[in-house]
Amino acid sequence: NDMAEGHNLSSRLVGIGVEIFRTIKMPPELEHASLPEILNTWNDLYHMQHRGGDIGYVKVEQVDSTHYKTIHKNLYPDDMLYGVAYGMARRFAPKGSNYKVYYDEKVQRADDGGKETVIHIQW
């Protein structure tokens, strides 16, 4: 509630998401994985961090070799999901690559009443 009533809520949620993926404990086999490998395990990682109840899902679709679309229906605000996606790209994109994380403007986000939130990751 304090965050919601304060300033810069969106920036704070993005920052929390980035920090989550900076500090998340990864299974040893994924410590040095590629970004596509990490993206394709996102739903599993999400479920490993939560227990019980209907926690939703993360679906990942490959658009091309350096462009993935992620579809989210889960417990977190959209800006926090965006931060997690950004943190994931920052940690696992090929060194020296330029990566881009953005909401799909053609799909109404969950926070705005949509069914799912769609985030694109490119590098």
Side-chain angles (χ1 to χ4, degrees), residues 12-113:
R12 289 178 183 194
L13 289 171
V14 169
I16 289 168
V18 169
E19 188 66 13
I20 285 170
F21 219 84
R22 187 184 73 75
T23 60
I24 191 172
K25 178 93 167 123
M26 298 296 293
E29 65 274 12
L30 294 177
E31 273 300 323
H32 301 288
S34 67
L35 184 52
E37 289 170 319
I38 293 298
L39 289 168
N40 285 317
T41 63
W42 194 343
N43 189 61
D44 294 336
L45 292 170
Y46 173 64
H47 282 267
M48 283 174 40
Q49 303 299 319
H50 299 82
R51 294 187 183 156
D54 180 12
I55 62 168
Y57 54 81
V58 179
K59 296 178 186 173
V60 178
E61 298 175 5
Q62 183 175 0
V63 177
D64 65 36
S65 63
T66 59
H67 179 188
Y68 284 73
K69 177 172 126 177
T70 64
I71 302 141
H72 305 263
K73 181 176 181 180
N74 62 41
L75 304 173
Y76 298 107
D78 293 341
D79 289 334
M80 192 170 177
L81 296 171
Y82 177 94
V84 170
Y86 190 90
M88 192 178 288
R90 186 166 86 177
R91 183 170 172 182
F92 290 98
K95 299 294 180 217
S97 66
N98 293 317
Y99 51 88
K100 180 175 160 182
V101 177
Y102 58 95
Y103 291 113
D104 191 320
E105 294 179 6
K106 297 175 186 167
V107 179
Q108 184 179 27
R109 293 174 18 197
D111 284 356
D112 296 332

